[in-house]
Every structure is written in structure tokens, then in C-alpha cells.
Amino acid sequence: MSWLKKTCVIVPIDFSEDSFQAVRVGLEFVEKNSNLHLIHVTQPWSEHEIGGTWGQETEEERIQSIKKAIQEKLKDTEYQRIPIVVRIGSPPVEITRYAEKSDAELIVMPSHGRTGIQHFALGSVAERVIRKAHCPVLVLRRKDEKKGPSKKIISYD
């Protein structure tokens, strides 16, 4: 077994292609697929939410729908036996809480490359995960992201 192989790697999924690319990268760090854990964090519904299926679906049904959508996206045999977890809450909080509870050795996630006002308005989940995580975080940059000042790529304890 290589010294790089981990017993628990977490990959947050937000349904972007970048997050599914992070799954492929995460698989490189584990010996068995079951050592790679996928987590999707969704916001709680508010009673004022327009559209969607609020009121038509229980939280448990919603969680199962999200899991099924992830499984559909990752239906190739190379992705079998990967645990999928869905949480409701704040993404950085739930990702780091799950990583700590799972005794994760690494979190692999994409950077969406937002800058300026977009970054300020939307915040950076990756940045907040880096700050809160108990383990190293590998942030994958997009190939088309602008070259510029170096960004924090890996956080070390």
C-alpha cells in the first residue's frame, strides 16, 4: 500500500462538473472505493420558497432524491460502493463536521474560481472548509481559471 493511500477521503458534491471531476481525483487517494465518501449539503427549505417541491416532499424523500441523482450521475462501475451522504445546513459547517466525524484524512474539492464581487457576495465554500477542517484540504483549480496571484491550494495543520 502506498504511503499516499488514505482510509477516508471526503469529496463534497454540488452537482457541478468540477465536483464530479473531484470524485475522480479523490479515487486516486484511496485503495478501495468505500474509503471515498461523497457529501452533498443542501439548504433547508423556507416556507417562502417559490418553485421546487416544497411541501410536496418530506426531508427524507428530498434526501433520497438527491442521493439517487448522484448515483445516476456516477452509475459507472468504477464508482460502485462509494458512500453518499446528504446533509441539510451550511455547506462548510456540514462538510467539516462530517469529515471530523468520519476521521477523514483528506478533503478534495473544486474551486469555482469566482473573484471580485461574485466571490464577496457568494463567499467561498472551499475557503471556509480550509479554515475549519481538521485535516488537509486539496482544492482543485479549473484549467480555464485565470492565472494570477497564487492561491492557497492545500491547507496543512
Side-chain angles (χ1 to χ4, degrees):
M1 180 161 118
S2 166
W3 66 273
L4 288 175
K5 297 297 180 183
K6 310 289 183 205
T7 57
C8 183
V9 174
I10 308 293
V11 177
I13 297 292
D14 64 4
F15 287 95
S16 68
E17 282 305 314
D18 292 338
S19 67
F20 288 106
Q21 179 63 36
V23 173
R24 289 187 278 283
V25 173
L27 280 172
E28 295 176 26
F29 287 95
V30 295
E31 198 165 309
K32 298 184 296 186
N33 286 7
S34 60
N35 292 349
L36 184 71
H37 297 237
L38 308 183
I39 182 169
H40 175 79
V41 182
T42 187
Q43 298 293 323
W45 278 332
S46 78
E47 61 187 51
H48 305 292
E49 196 145 349
I50 298 172
T53 58
W54 182 80
Q56 298 174 15
E57 194 175 49
T58 67
E59 278 192 0
E60 188 55 39
E61 289 171 332
R62 182 178 174 206
I63 287 169
Q64 292 308 316
S65 295
I66 292 168
K67 282 184 179 180
K68 185 177 178 181
I70 294 171
Q71 289 168 338
E72 275 298 309
K73 184 74 175 166
L74 298 172
K75 59 185 171 191
D76 294 341
T77 56
E78 68 180 305
Y79 301 114
Q80 289 183 358
R81 293 192 271 312
I82 295 176
I84 300 170
V85 174
V86 177
R87 297 283 190 262
I88 297 174
S90 165
V93 171
E94 294 300 325
I95 291 166
T96 55
R97 185 179 291 157
Y98 181 73
E100 191 163 356
K101 179 183 159 221
S102 303
D103 201 24
E105 296 173 81
L106 179 66
I107 300 171
V108 178
M109 61 190 306
S111 166
H112 291 295
R114 294 183 183 102
T115 59
I117 194 73
Q118 245 187 343
H119 173 77
F120 179 75
L122 298 173
S124 171
V125 173
E127 185 176 323
R128 287 181 272 165
V129 168
I130 288 169
R131 291 180 191 199
K132 292 178 177 277
H134 78 286
C135 62
V137 177
L138 173 60
V139 178
L140 307 172
R141 293 181 73 167
R142 294 174 62 158
K143 290 182 181 180
D144 62 350
E145 210 172 297
K146 290 181 183 177
K147 301 279 185 200
S150 169
K151 290 186 178 182
K152 222 185 244 187
I153 301 297
I154 299 179
S155 168
Y156 295 100
D157 293 334

